[in-house]
Amino acid sequence: MKSALLNPVLNKEIRLRFRSVKSFIGIAFYLLILGVISLGFIGLTLSFDSMGTFQPDESRGMFLVIGMLQLALVIFITPGLTGGVISSERERQTLPILLTTAQSSGSIILSKLASSLSYLLLIVFASAPLYMIIFLYGGISPSSVLASFGLYAFTMLVIGSFGVLMSTLIRKTIIAVVTTYSIAFFITGGIAVITMMLLSFGYNFQSHGQDYIWPFLFASVNIPIMFFSLFEESIMVQLQEMAGFSFSPWIIFFIVYGTTIALSLTLAIRKLRPKIKTKAYPKA
Amino acid sequence: MIETANLTKKYGSFTALNDLNLSISEGTVFGFVGQNGAGKSTTFQILATLMSPTYGTVYIDGLDIAKEPAKVRRLIGYMPDFFGVYDQFRAEEYLDFYGASYGLTVPERKEVIPQLLELVNLSHKRDSYVDLLSRGMKQRLCLARSLIHDPKVLILDEPASGLDPRARVEMREILKELKTMGKTIIISSHILPELAEMCDEIGVIDSGKLVAQGTVSDIQQKLQQQKVIIVNIKKDVEQTVRFFEDDPDVGDLQVLENGAIQFSYRGTDESQQALLKKAVMADIPLLGFSQLEKNLEDVFMEITRGAEEE
């Protein structure tokens, strides 16, 4: 643990990131967006309420809105922060020197990912005071807030791993970032759309008394749907009934994305440095 | 210390490096000279474990780079021809980061960094941001960086390129000092005279092929085998031309604009002496008879031209 914290690449990344004014402007901008929307939501609700009160049910609704908004921001920011971690070093011509040091490929990749994610975590946790406003009005348990923060962290890890892999495989930062965005939007928005389409087929099957598993499977690997199900369990219960079994969707979620993270990072580590092969010179 | 055997790098049908065999012993300063695109940087990238060869083997201090690249990295200090720096680092922090990356402890880094900054004459810039340093200073800082873990072998790819004359001299002085420290240094340049005075051995590479290797005087001597003689005369140009044309070792004879006669001569020093004596005896009105000294630039041009013709 101590050696991980003292890792020179991680140390350097964090030091350079927080030496830049841009990082603090980023946090301020993020909080401003969330603050304006959440306080605006409260203001609007109060102005439309004849009694001028904010009910626990409305507080719950506000939590869902802020939670989904925060998830959307995480999905939107993570590719930009991780899609260039290796390719930008390549473009700045600092990568060859870094690769000739004694740092292992694993240490470089994991440090780069950790430093990007630590900045993202700081952004997300900086929004915690906004959640305290919601607690004032009730309707949400602390465990729900913790679960949502846990899911944000996991989402960052999933998309961040794709970002680091793309950044390692693709030489140009802009292409690596765009590819990471495409993947991130597919596993969030794309799979959600597919789930909705499959759901309409599912109702047909259900009306004929047949089980239909696909909407459940796709929903189980869709981050926004799973996030929503943290607070509205009925949505996944409905899909489980359509599928005809009571297997927890979280098991599918963590197995699929856990494997994806492991594969992405392993591939990035293997591809960072060239594999030096020795072949005999062909005889004339 | 450095051994390459049949080292070849191909990109599709293009051969960047063709069957390179090098042997550089410990403590040698080896100059690797060749035109732009000759294959110098490709060789260095392979030596630095940044690129895999298509064929061939490389051993550094007895370690096979294909089998033990991590150990090889600890032995080498690599300075690429083009490199970037982390803009928001100060010079001292820059060296500290790389020191830590090589596993040096904090006390070790505190001891070695001031020494390195002094070696490259940058002690006064220790707190300056790296991006504010001049190009020459960045080159020197990068050289200090490549020395941070006290490597046995230094791989320096055009360390003086793009520098003004003063910065070039400073870089040369630092390299001379490193030579006295007993480091094995392989250094590249596309300018042969620049390397000549600081290198023990020179290798000339052209189109991916090593076309000459040896000490500077060896290479010069090899080319001096075919000498160029200039004869200055006062009159009787035609008679003089006929006289020298009759000698079987004389070739490419031409009369220059100033009336002098120039020809190439394949004979030995003794036969050259006899030819001069014979000319005097034949009453050729000689004012001068001299051998044209080739400078290193001519030698380099001649070697690479020869390789192209082959």
Side-chain angles (χ1 to χ4, degrees):
Chain A
M1 184 68 188
K2 194 181 168 197
S3 66
L5 287 175
L6 292 177
N7 180 288
V9 181
L10 181 59
N11 192 320
K12 179 222 38 155
E13 289 290 318
I14 290 177
R15 197 189 294 193
L16 291 185
R17 187 176 298 281
F18 289 103
R19 201 169 265 184
S20 159
V21 182
K22 279 191 287 184
S23 300
F24 297 100
I25 293 173
I27 296 174
F29 198 66
Y30 182 87
L31 291 178
L32 187 73
I33 295 173
L34 267 188
V36 165
I37 292 173
S38 48
L39 296 177
F41 187 91
I42 294 174
L44 277 175
T45 312
L46 288 175
S47 66
F48 284 112
D49 192 289
S50 57
M51 304 284 284
T53 56
F54 196 70
Q55 300 298 321
D57 267 0
E58 290 163 341
S59 167
R60 191 177 154 79
M62 178 181 155
F63 178 81
L64 267 176
V65 169
I66 295 181
M68 290 302 272
L69 180 71
Q70 179 121 296
L71 182 68
L73 287 171
V74 165
I75 291 165
F76 196 73
I77 295 171
T78 312
L81 276 177
T82 57
V85 288
I86 300 295
S87 55
S88 65
E89 289 249 10
R90 199 179 281 125
E91 284 175 348
R92 273 185 302 176
Q93 296 177 318
T94 48
L95 190 63
I97 295 175
L98 187 60
L99 294 183
T100 52
T101 66
Q103 288 297 303
S104 67
S105 301
S107 160
I108 294 171
I109 291 287
L110 295 178
S111 301
K112 290 272 186 187
L113 179 65
S115 74
S116 301
L117 296 192
S118 60
Y119 176 65
L120 273 166
L121 282 173
L122 176 70
I123 292 181
V124 169
F125 280 101
S127 67
L130 284 170
Y131 284 83
M132 297 303 119
I133 299 171
I134 301 165
F135 278 132
L136 278 177
Y137 297 103
I140 282 293
S141 68
S143 62
S144 299
V145 178
L146 282 178
S148 64
F149 274 74
L151 196 61
Y152 295 145
F154 190 72
T155 304
M156 290 172 201
L157 193 58
V158 172
I159 300 174
S161 304
F162 279 123
V164 172
L165 174 63
M166 292 307 128
S167 188
T168 308
L169 296 179
I170 300 169
R171 300 189 77 83
K172 292 269 178 201
T173 298
I174 185 75
I175 302 172
V177 170
V178 169
T179 311
T180 312
Y181 269 115
S182 309
I183 294 170
F185 291 154
F186 176 75
I187 61 175
T188 51
I191 293 180
V193 170
I194 294 171
T195 307
M196 296 305 159
M197 286 160 64
L198 291 169
L199 200 57
S200 60
F201 291 118
Y203 289 131
N204 287 337
F205 278 92
Q206 214 171 19
S207 63
H208 289 90
Q210 289 174 298
D211 293 337
Y212 191 63
I213 196 169
W214 293 109
F216 173 71
L217 286 182
F218 274 84
S220 300
V221 291
N222 184 253
I223 294 169
I225 294 175
M226 291 304 285
F227 181 85
F228 195 72
S229 76
L230 277 176
F231 312 100
E232 291 291 342
E233 283 181 28
S234 59
I235 181 174
M236 287 311 286
V237 172
Q238 242 185 351
L239 293 174
Q240 274 175 322
E241 281 169 6
M242 189 182 279
F245 68 96
S246 55
F247 199 70
S248 169
W250 289 106
I251 294 174
I252 299 172
F253 181 80
F254 285 114
I255 286 177
V256 168
Y257 285 119
T259 311
T260 307
I261 293 167
L263 284 176
S264 299
L265 294 179
T266 307
L267 195 58
I269 290 166
R270 289 177 73 97
K271 291 287 176 187
L272 182 65
R273 284 189 168 103
K275 174 95 184 91
I276 299 177
K277 293 174 232 157
T278 308
K279 269 202 287 187
Y281 190 71
K283 284 174 187 160
Chain B
M1 182 56 85
I2 301 174
E3 300 276 344
T4 74
N6 308 123
L7 200 63
T8 303
K9 181 69 187 177
K10 289 183 181 231
Y11 298 99
S13 59
F14 174 70
T15 305
L17 207 56
N18 190 358
D19 195 17
L20 183 78
N21 294 292
L22 275 182
S23 179
I24 302 167
S25 47
E26 194 169 353
T28 302
V29 179
F30 187 88
F32 208 42
V33 66
Q35 292 161 313
N36 293 332
K40 304 185 296 291
S41 295
T42 304
T43 309
F44 282 19
Q45 282 178 28
I46 294 171
L47 295 180
T49 73
L50 291 170
M51 188 186 278
S52 181
T54 309
Y55 304 113
T57 52
V58 179
Y59 285 87
I60 295 181
D61 200 21
L63 297 173
D64 186 343
I65 65 155
K67 288 182 183 149
E68 296 175 286
K71 282 185 185 171
V72 168
R73 278 178 215 124
R74 288 187 177 275
L75 285 175
I76 60 166
Y78 172 59
M79 182 174 169
D81 50 352
F82 297 104
F83 61 89
V85 289
Y86 301 110
D87 296 348
Q88 286 160 326
F89 263 155
R90 292 184 170 93
E92 194 176 26
E93 290 172 331
Y94 177 81
L95 292 180
D96 188 72
F97 163 61
Y98 285 104
S101 296
Y102 279 107
L104 268 65
T105 61
V106 175
E108 282 170 340
R109 274 147 37 204
K110 281 194 172 161
E111 189 190 339
V112 78
I113 290 170
Q115 292 171 3
L116 288 173
L117 286 172
E118 198 178 323
L119 176 76
V120 297
N121 302 323
L122 285 176
S123 297
H124 61 296
K125 293 285 181 186
R126 55 186 287 175
D127 292 323
S128 299
Y129 281 103
V130 175
D131 62 333
L132 299 178
L133 299 178
S134 68
R135 176 162 179 146
M137 286 178 181
K138 280 183 191 165
Q139 299 271 88
R140 270 149 49 202
L141 186 65
C142 190
L143 181 62
R145 194 264 322 145
S146 67
L147 288 163
I148 192 91
H149 56 301
D150 193 20
K152 282 185 171 180
V153 178
L154 277 177
I155 300 168
L156 311 176
D157 197 356
E158 307 241 10
S161 74
L163 299 186
D164 60 46
R166 187 188 172 82
R168 287 178 107 86
V169 171
E170 280 176 346
M171 180 62 81
R172 209 179 300 153
E173 291 307 312
I174 296 166
L175 292 173
K176 278 182 189 165
E177 198 159 335
L178 291 175
K179 185 178 171 179
T180 62
M181 290 161 74
K183 305 270 181 208
T184 305
I185 304 173
I186 177 165
I187 178 171
S188 75
S189 176
H190 56 278
I191 307 165
L192 183 56
E194 188 177 270
L195 292 180
E197 65 177 276
M198 67 176 115
C199 293
D200 303 311
E201 279 184 52
I202 297 274
V204 182
I205 186 168
D206 189 57
S207 304
K209 222 170 164 56
L210 193 68
V211 290
Q213 186 183 353
T215 62
V216 177
S217 55
D218 277 350
I219 291 175
Q220 259 179 318
Q221 221 165 21
K222 187 180 162 191
L223 277 140
Q224 298 291 12
Q225 281 168 8
Q226 184 162 322
K227 306 157 197 173
V228 175
I229 307 280
I230 305 257
V231 175
N232 293 97
I233 45 169
K234 201 172 181 182
K235 53 183 182 178
D236 300 337
V237 176
E238 278 180 27
Q239 181 202 345
T240 309
V241 168
R242 273 199 304 276
F243 171 81
F244 285 111
E245 268 180 346
D246 286 346
D247 191 290
D249 287 330
V250 169
D252 303 330
L253 191 144
Q254 53 183 309
V255 179
L256 304 178
E257 279 179 17
N258 62 358
I261 296 169
Q262 179 183 305
F263 55 84
S264 62
Y265 189 70
R266 285 180 295 272
T268 60
D269 287 351
E270 287 73 28
S271 60
Q272 185 181 329
Q273 204 178 351
L275 177 66
L276 174 60
K277 196 173 175 183
K278 201 173 143 191
V280 173
M281 298 293 279
D283 280 337
I284 301 292
L286 292 173
L287 283 176
F289 184 95
S290 57
Q291 187 176 318
L292 189 70
E293 284 297 324
K294 288 178 189 169
N295 63 26
L296 282 170
E297 210 60 62
D298 299 328
V299 170
F300 174 62
M301 293 303 288
E302 207 153 317
I303 293 173
T304 50
R305 190 170 54 237
E308 268 171 27
E309 282 162 7
E310 278 170 26

